[in-house]
Amino acid sequence: MTNAALRRHERISVPAAIEIRAAAPGLSGVATVIGAGGMFLRTENVRPPGTVLAFNLTCGKLSIEVGCSVRYVTDHGMGIEFTAITPANDQRLLSLLDRVRATS
């Protein structure tokens, strides 16, 4: 069974036409893959796995606040799991995912 088959949430590659910025204190980057459960954040300022963060995701005028945990780190960034999100921010995230899917 592949890793993709084991995943709970769909992963969507973010097209160049959409820029999803993520910022936390002392850390910023751009999401290159995103889903309801997390994202891959391209950044030079990685944190070790297990680090808990609060990110503000922005895409145009849309702003989403999410609690996160770093799952893994690569040379280009880190895999982030969304661990805490309010119902209102969850609805914003779902709207953003629909927009990304439609542009892909």
Side-chain angles (χ1 to χ4, degrees):
M1 188 174 286
T2 66
N3 284 341
L6 295 173
R7 291 183 175 142
R8 290 181 289 158
H9 302 285
E10 171 190 20
R11 305 298 200 269
I12 308 165
S13 292
V14 179
I18 296 179
E19 183 177 76
I20 302 171
R21 307 263 333 142
L27 178 63
S28 66
V30 176
T32 58
V33 175
I34 193 164
M39 65 184 167
F40 183 82
L41 184 66
R42 184 169 294 276
T43 183
E44 294 178 5
N45 303 326
V46 297
R47 300 295 187 267
T51 301
V52 175
L53 301 162
F55 274 110
N56 184 38
L57 306 178
T58 56
C59 184
K61 294 181 181 181
L62 183 64
S63 180
I64 305 165
E65 293 179 13
V66 293
C68 307
S69 178
V70 177
R71 300 292 289 167
Y72 65 91
V73 175
T74 72
D75 292 339
H76 305 289
M78 54 191 168
I80 303 291
E81 178 183 11
F82 299 150
T83 56
I85 188 167
T86 65
N89 279 312
D90 189 47
Q91 286 303 310
R92 289 183 193 102
L93 177 61
L94 294 175
S95 175
L96 175 60
L97 295 177
D98 286 343
R99 182 175 163 196
V100 172
R101 257 188 228 96
T103 306
S104 296

